[in-house]
Amino acid sequence: MTAGLRLGPLLRYVDWETGEHATVWIEADRPCTAEVRCLGAPPGEGTAPAGEDTANGVPGAEGPPDATRPGAPKGAGGSSRTFQIEGHHYALIPVSGLTPASSTAYEVLLDGRRVWPPADWPYPPSVIRTPAIPAEGVRVSFGSCRWAAPPAREHDPIGPDALDTLAGRMAAEPGGERPDVLVLLGDQVYADATSRETQRWLATRRDLSEPPGAEVADYEEYTRLYEESWLDPVVRWLLSTVPSCMIFDDHDVIDDWNTSASWVAEMRATPWWRERILSGLMSYWVHQHLGNLSPAELADDPVYAAVRDTPDGTDALRSFAARADADPASVRWSYRRDFGRTRLLMIDTRAARVLDERHRAMLDDEEMRWLRGQALEAPGSYDHLLLGTSLPWLLPPAIHDVESWNAALCRGERGERWARVGEDLRRRADLEHWAAFPASFEELASLIREVGSGPLAPSTVCVLSGDVHHAYVAEPHWPDPEPSARVLQLTCSPVHNAIHASMRAGFRFGWSRAGRRFGRAVARHGRAGRPVIRWDKTGGPWFGNQLMTLTLNGRSAELRLDQAVTDRTGTRLLTVDERNLTNGP
């Protein structure tokens, strides 16, 4: 039997150093050789202007085939054998020989047979867009928290999916504006909040009256979540043509994942948790993390080598996941991407935590050293620093104070009884953002000030976050001297999810003057000190399914917030806010 394409293709890494390389992720339905063949510029697509709408070699490649269509860069493409995990077959295909500042259509072949695009595919060709070298600008769209959209024929009770809507607009206007990269900041799948359709499928495998019930239990069930999300046709096309950077948050594994040491102990005592956490980490490594890595990181990755070096990489990946769970400090999920003179640092704020109540930290010591080293490397070599953290650094001030109060209670500042109350409240109210790790909050504030000060400081330092199911812009202020860089918290969530009316009211109250007074009173009860900085909301809150887009060019930065809306004209992205973040040209 011939191999078929089960999932993908996803365009993941596009090289911004030479403009010649990329990686494409696929899942096949059996072992095979997966190949990307480049075809040249599709109709309506031309060479991308320098700095506009633009986006090495990878180990293990069998070597790129010659492209066979007129206009394709000579020799552009690549191939790789699939590797096997739990009976599934994947490949991260290296693509080389691309031309900088170009837009190149591609097809996917399995064992020499074309499987992508499918026959009668209604969307434009999948393309790899490469930047001019040196790159002049980058457009970054970001958000988080996406329940898979229901099929088009079904009513969507939470409104249109912003990612679907973006994809639809791009498909209708192939030569129009598009992001150079999608930054997906967590909750790409919901392992603990499955759809009715997925629950019906789960019920064919096991008794849902037994834990973990309608949540996913093992690797095979995780693959179902990715299929449900990524086989949405227009999103499938979008992910095949726009590079993506991803990081997990709690729902990629389970709500409140790693909220506290006592939570972890309780979960480890349940009979189903070990399979859940190992499967969650394994599926994240395969579907999300692997494509985040640069070619150099892939070449040095012993797990990737071990998985590829055996007929079945399941045991090697399972051993890695077990080590990541038992010793989080031994594994790094954070990573760096450079887009010309914009540096993105994606920060793991889930698995890298230190949960000892007396030494709580959002990032362990080694992870914080890595973050400092990446942010401070080669000062003056970038104009914009983006810190991708699924959890907002700056919350509404009242909520910040409640979380710091709760952290003080849990570490025993008001005695054992209040510590028990604090732990119960922490879990019920999800009090686990940067504010709940006060030392880490201050350490990040110190790092941002250091990066943003001095003659070689970047123009902007933007903290990109999601999680809280609404969007806002906040700006911090330090005691004199202020950093010379413009520092902003940019929060955008959800891409496709809901928020209760009571939470909307709570977030609005959190920014109010009365909310600030309430927060300070609560913090005093817990003997929690004032944060070293103060901050103000300068935009929002906005509620709805939405995406933010940063356009960074030279030392200038522009921000736009688009919401997915349905009206008499159909479903579209409505721009609800635009602003210039700098005084640059």
Side-chain angles (χ1 to χ4, degrees), residues 282-332:
M282 291 169 67
S283 64
Y284 174 77
W285 185 90
V286 168
H287 293 84
Q288 299 191 49
H289 178 70
L290 193 60
N292 294 330
L293 301 181
S294 71
E297 289 167 325
L298 286 169
D300 293 337
D301 192 321
V303 182
Y304 187 50
V307 163
R308 290 172 52 86
D309 286 348
T310 61
D312 186 343
T314 302
D315 289 345
L317 185 55
R318 191 174 180 87
S319 295
F320 166 77
R323 175 164 58 90
D325 179 47
D327 183 15
S330 68
V331 172
R332 173 164 299 119

Side-chain angles (χ1 to χ4, degrees), residues 54-91:
T54 58
N56 103 45
V58 176
E62 280 78 24
D66 286 338
T68 59
R69 304 290 181 88
K74 185 178 180 180
S79 65
S80 182
R81 285 293 296 177
T82 56
F83 60 89
Q84 178 172 312
I85 303 294
E86 294 283 3
H88 290 255
H89 307 279
Y90 308 96

Side-chain angles (χ1 to χ4, degrees), residues 3 157 174 197 226 548 580:
E197 184 177 349
Y226 285 102
M548 277 183 174
N580 187 348

